[in-house]
Amino acid sequence: MTNLPSQEAIYTALTEIFNEVFMRDDMHLQPALSAKDVPGWDSFKQIEIMVSVEERFNIKLNTREIDSLRCVGDLADVIARKAQV
Amino acid sequence: MRWLPEPPPWRAHLRDLSSQEGDIWSDAVALANHRLDFIRTNALDEIMRRRYETAAPPKTGTRPIRLAILASSTVAHLHAPIRVGGLRRNIFITTYESDYGQYLQELLDPASRLHAFKPDSILFALDSRHLAQGVHAAMTADNAAGALQDARMLILRCWRAAKQAFNGPVIQQTLLDPFPPLMGNNEHRLPASRSRFIALLNESLRDMADAEGVDLLALDQAAQRDGLAAWHDPALWHRSKQEVSPARGPIYGDMVARLIAARQGRSYKCLVLDLDNTLWGGVIGDDGMEGIIVGQGSPLGEGFVAVQQYAKELARRGVILAVCSKNDEADARAPFENHPDMVLRLSDIACFRANWDDKPANIRAIAAELNIGLDSLVFLDDNPFERNFVREELPMVAIPEISDDPAEVPQLLADAGYFESLAITDEDRERTAKYRENRAREQLRTGASDLEGYLRGLQMRLVCKRFDGIGLQRIVQLINKTNQFNLTTRRHTESDVMEIMADPSSFGLQLRLLDRFGDNGIIAIIIGRTQSPGTVLIDTWLMSCRVLGRQVEAATLNLVAAAARSLGAHTLLGEYVPTKKNGMVKDHYESLGFSMTSRDPDGRSLARLDLDSFSPTPTFIEIIEG
């Protein structure tokens, strides 16, 4: 049996990842957050986030999934679909 | 980078570092010597870049490097890992990257930004798709061979242009093979397979690099070991043209930094081995010769044999081995003397310390006895307590994280790249023997009642030769790696040395010392240049610390004075440029009878010897002009 991670666990992990990637302490991720809300969130940071998410949740995000991401909520949904705890 | 310890609470440490006033270099070096993923590597680099944007850090003790990366695809994500790789080795690296797709134009155009950057090291990171462009499966064998030749010529042209324009090492990245096979197992039978094309090009890079004096960054070997998927993600290539995955950035950067450190003579030189549960299973003091686990017949015993074999192979190519163990000395020596399954014997160990003193004290003693810096030691110990204790006391010693399974140790030591080496000389092969002979000399000295009698008994002969082609490789190696007995620490390339050989107003001396215990090899290099008519300046005077206290310095001065006189000099000038490592020669010229003419506040000094009134100092050394 495998357990899917809870939304809360996903957001906690994502908050951790985003704070490391953007070298901040004060980010609290909400589903609606997107690249335009965060200074410095460019294509390189995007790749850093994706690679970190893949490592953290032990999943592989494919090209279509990455291209369809519009906001943090989309990312959390993909993780919830693919990740196991 | 599993050989590095886990970082301390990361965000807190990073915050401390960035809020700290003044120079943060050595704290950052310590932080860089932890297992950092690429996000953390970037974060550390960001802080360092802000802090040292306008001025290099003041006290690295090593030569700063300006590295230009000439790439055909995206490498922006590799700068931070390269700089942090340098930081880990105490080397300040500034990086530059050519504009996208412009590497050749920038190289050939003296007005380009690349030339304005004034690099002293060049890294060619040409990606496989770029080099294999135009190659397709329908090509004839002849056309495929032509395409291969074109790629070779392009690379050769790049190297030569770089060598001509800039003074300094050139590094060439070997090629990853991202091309899925078209035939399968027998891909090599398709003449214009791109996969085969890359394999052939990688093979010829080896010969070309040796012929041209270029160092390779062997990505192909790394990918063979880790799997291509670890290094290259086709989806990331399509997204951002990153040939090397960001997750591999830290190890990529570390590999580049190893090559740079090796060129500076800053690779590690000595492997210090713990014994119990590191070289054999069990505790010799408790379990005795019959009880320890080493040798064929048990998986664990074979694992320890493999560790010993790897250490022995390292020693055969020039790495010094030492032992540091908490044991009674007789117990610790017994397996080396009498255990039939031991691979290492006492003759392989240049310095053997087994006692009940703490390990930091013993490691200090090993460095002192071998006359090498603490920062050239790697300490292998299965015990986490000892590892952490030594790390606390001696942060400059490299200490890999190992588990209690010996099976993983050889590959881990290799992956950590401590002993990165760019060339092999006969002297490398004989190094442990030399250190051992040296200890025999030490013992003779302790036995001899007076120094004069000891020196006379050594039957020393100093063979003095001008620089020549045969010695060239060794001369360049010594110039670039000697740190302690080195008056100016001026590094010279092979072509610099050849210029000195051709210049009638300069001289280069290479001195070899023989004695009754054996051949010490080339132990001194001196370069003198006519500074003005009648005055010769000693540009370089370096010696091996192994031969100190034996009148070799005085005998060498006699030879230098003669060489300077033969250029018509009446005055000999000796210069001292202080570094972190050469404090031992601060008073070198004064102790040889020079008079001090100037001393700067930063410690640089100039001393002068009147050759007209100088008479050679008598020594017990026989001089042989070769």
Side-chain angles (χ1 to χ4, degrees):
Chain A
M1 276 303 289
T2 56
N3 298 311
L4 296 178
S6 69
Q7 284 289 310
E8 196 192 336
I10 291 173
Y11 276 92
T12 307
L14 285 179
T15 297
E16 186 63 25
I17 287 172
F18 273 67
N19 275 318
E20 285 230 345
V21 168
F22 292 102
M23 295 178 68
R24 286 168 58 171
D25 288 317
D26 58 344
M27 295 182 79
H28 291 286
L29 296 204
Q30 302 298 329
L33 190 76
S34 70
K36 66 177 173 5
D37 305 320
V38 181
W41 188 343
D42 57 13
S43 57
F44 283 111
K45 289 292 182 199
Q46 175 76 1
I47 289 172
E48 290 189 8
I49 294 166
M50 293 307 126
V51 178
S52 296
V53 164
E54 289 179 341
E55 278 191 355
R56 170 66 182 75
F57 292 99
N58 199 18
I59 55 175
K60 184 86 186 98
L61 301 175
N62 68 37
T63 301
R64 285 172 198 278
E65 284 163 345
I66 295 173
D67 283 347
S68 70
L69 300 177
R70 297 286 170 264
C71 59
V72 167
D74 292 345
L75 179 58
D77 290 346
V78 176
I79 296 169
R81 218 168 45 239
K82 301 189 103 169
Q84 295 168 356
V85 172
Chain B
M1 309 232 274
R2 61 200 196 285
W3 54 90
L4 294 170
E6 282 293 339
W10 178 250
R11 221 93 60 71
H13 265 76
L14 218 53
R15 220 179 301 120
D16 285 356
L17 192 69
S18 69
S19 62
Q20 214 172 300
E21 297 281 320
D23 189 27
I24 55 172
W25 179 261
S26 36
D27 288 346
V29 172
L31 215 48
N33 275 284
H34 288 91
R35 202 178 305 169
L36 306 184
D37 62 17
F38 74 104
I39 305 283
R40 291 177 170 189
T41 301
N42 286 349
L44 179 56
D45 178 67
E46 178 91 21
I47 291 175
M48 298 306 281
R49 217 151 32 96
R50 276 192 219 136
R51 185 63 62 105
Y52 299 112
E53 202 165 18
T54 48
K59 47 175 187 190
T60 62
T62 59
R63 187 157 53 88
I65 291 293
R66 299 177 66 77
L67 175 74
I69 309 168
L70 302 186
S72 48
S73 59
T74 304
V75 293
H77 60 303
L78 300 175
H79 289 238
I82 290 172
R83 290 188 292 248
V84 170
L87 178 65
R88 192 171 294 126
R89 285 164 184 72
N90 203 22
I91 298 172
F92 181 71
I93 302 179
T94 310
T95 54
Y96 168 87
E97 177 186 338
S98 53
D99 281 339
Y100 197 84
Q102 298 293 306
Y103 68 91
L104 193 57
Q105 289 87 329
E106 290 197 20
L107 197 53
L108 299 177
D109 175 10
S112 65
R113 282 170 57 237
L114 168 65
H115 285 254
F117 174 72
K118 294 196 187 356
D120 51 33
S121 306
I122 307 278
L123 166 61
F124 285 104
L126 306 180
D127 67 270
S128 298
R129 291 176 181 82
H130 173 67
L131 286 169
Q133 65 192 338
V135 177
H136 59 80
M139 273 180 153
T140 63
D142 281 353
N143 286 344
L148 185 62
Q149 185 58 13
D150 289 347
R152 284 199 196 107
M153 286 302 116
L154 169 67
I155 291 169
L156 210 53
R157 188 172 173 212
C158 286
W159 292 352
R160 289 185 177 160
K163 291 228 160 192
Q164 199 184 354
F166 314 111
N167 206 359
V170 173
I171 300 170
Q172 172 70 45
Q173 170 184 313
T174 65
L175 303 164
L176 295 173
D177 175 12
F179 301 117
L182 298 166
M183 298 270 286
N185 287 288
N186 289 282
E187 186 72 10
H188 65 282
R189 292 181 189 151
L190 177 62
S193 147
R194 288 193 290 176
S195 180
R196 176 174 184 265
F197 177 89
I198 294 300
L200 291 176
L201 190 50
N202 269 333
E203 202 179 298
S204 48
L205 277 180
R206 261 96 198 167
D207 292 334
M208 284 162 57
D210 292 357
E212 298 285 317
V214 165
D215 298 328
L216 294 180
L217 176 70
L219 289 198
D220 58 340
Q221 286 175 14
Q224 199 166 36
R225 213 169 42 237
D226 307 337
L228 177 67
W231 280 87
H232 180 78
D233 179 348
L236 272 180
W237 173 261
H238 300 315
R239 181 171 300 281
S240 60
K241 298 294 168 286
Q242 294 176 336
E243 193 187 38
V244 172
S245 295
R248 285 284 136 169
I251 183 68
Y252 181 99
D254 202 72
M255 286 163 64
V256 173
R258 283 171 205 171
L259 292 171
I260 288 172
R263 274 282 162 211
Q264 294 195 4
R266 298 184 52 79
S267 288
Y268 292 88
K269 298 183 176 82
C270 172
L271 178 61
V272 182
L273 299 157
D274 167 57
L275 298 179
D276 294 331
N277 287 314
T278 299
L279 281 195
W280 55 67
V283 175
I284 183 70
D286 298 338
D287 303 327
M289 288 275 272
E290 296 75 27
I292 59 170
I293 304 164
V294 59
Q296 309 301 321
S298 84
L300 203 55
E302 293 194 18
F304 287 113
V305 166
V307 173
Q308 295 196 19
Q309 275 166 344
Y310 187 67
K312 183 143 184 156
E313 287 287 275
L314 284 175
R316 284 178 171 137
R317 78 115 173 108
V319 174
I320 305 162
L321 301 184
V323 162
C324 174
S325 165
K326 277 190 177 161
N327 264 311
D328 283 330
E329 180 158 4
D331 287 344
R333 284 177 177 265
F336 289 88
E337 285 162 340
N338 297 317
H339 198 295
D341 293 320
M342 287 282 290
V343 176
L344 292 175
R345 297 290 167 188
L346 284 180
S347 58
D348 298 312
I349 309 296
C351 180
F352 198 105
R353 310 270 313 178
N355 54 46
W356 298 99
D357 294 344
D358 66 45
K359 293 213 169 179
N362 273 319
I363 288 172
R364 276 198 198 92
I366 287 168
E369 188 173 325
L370 295 174
N371 241 323
I372 55 181
L374 281 161
D375 60 0
S376 49
L377 302 183
V378 176
F379 176 47
L380 191 68
D381 195 321
D382 68 295
N383 183 333
F385 166 82
E386 299 289 5
R387 291 200 299 266
N388 287 328
F389 185 30
V390 178
R391 265 188 210 121
E392 291 272 300
E393 294 290 309
L394 307 170
M396 64 297 267
V397 175
I399 307 172
E401 285 295 283
I402 56 172
S403 72
D404 59 0
D405 188 354
E408 68 166 34
V409 170
Q411 189 62 52
L412 182 129
L413 277 177
D415 289 349
Y418 297 121
F419 305 109
E420 184 78 37
S421 183
L422 298 171
I424 191 86
T425 64
D426 288 343
E427 316 231 345
D428 290 327
R429 295 197 178 92
E430 293 159 13
R431 182 155 300 125
T432 297
K434 272 192 220 321
Y435 276 95
R436 222 176 32 247
E437 287 161 7
N438 222 36
R439 278 194 319 170
R441 288 182 196 104
E442 285 293 327
Q443 277 154 14
L444 178 67
R445 169 146 68 186
T446 20
S449 56
D450 66 282
L451 185 63
E452 280 198 9
Y454 165 71
L455 292 177
R456 199 178 287 120
L458 271 179
Q459 300 159 10
M460 291 182 280
R461 282 145 293 153
L462 193 60
V463 181
C464 178
K465 274 190 180 176
R466 297 290 168 132
F467 285 1
D468 57 14
I470 300 168
L472 189 59
Q473 206 185 0
R474 177 67 178 152
I475 292 165
V476 173
Q477 190 191 45
L478 280 170
I479 288 175
N480 288 292
K481 78 173 200 185
T482 305
N483 295 318
Q484 295 191 97
F485 196 121
N486 194 336
L487 273 298
T488 55
T489 321
R490 216 161 262 149
R491 307 303 193 193
H492 293 298
T493 62
E494 201 169 291
S495 52
D496 296 336
V497 172
M498 285 163 74
E499 271 173 36
I500 293 158
M501 285 161 64
D503 177 9
S505 67
S506 299
F507 62 82
L509 303 180
Q510 46 172 334
L511 308 185
R512 174 183 293 273
L513 183 71
L514 305 124
D515 63 28
R516 58 178 268 220
F517 293 104
D519 182 352
N520 292 276
I522 303 293
I523 49 85
I525 298 291
I526 294 96
I527 297 169
R529 300 178 190 271
T530 302
Q531 194 191 39
S532 56
T535 301
V536 162
L537 173 72
I538 303 172
D539 168 282
T540 295
W541 180 327
L542 61 88
M543 294 182 101
S544 162
C545 296
R546 294 198 303 261
V547 302
L548 297 189
R550 296 167 56 169
Q551 300 182 334
V552 178
E553 300 96 304
T556 301
L557 176 61
N558 296 345
L559 291 163
V560 173
R565 276 179 181 148
S566 73
L567 293 180
H570 302 283
T571 301
L572 190 59
L573 289 180
E575 193 187 356
Y576 168 66
V577 182
T579 68
K580 216 173 179 177
K581 296 207 160 187
N582 72 351
M584 66 186 299
V585 291
K586 181 162 52 79
D587 301 314
H588 171 72
Y589 286 117
E590 276 179 299
S591 67
L592 286 173
F594 284 61
S595 53
M596 194 57 62
T597 59
S598 69
R599 196 191 286 276
D600 294 352
D602 64 4
R604 265 171 191 267
S605 65
L606 200 62
R608 154 176 207 292
L609 185 72
D610 181 6
L611 288 174
D612 295 332
S613 63
F614 172 77
S615 57
T617 315
T619 66
F620 294 109
I621 301 172
E622 183 193 350
I623 303 295
I624 301 166
E625 302 264 3

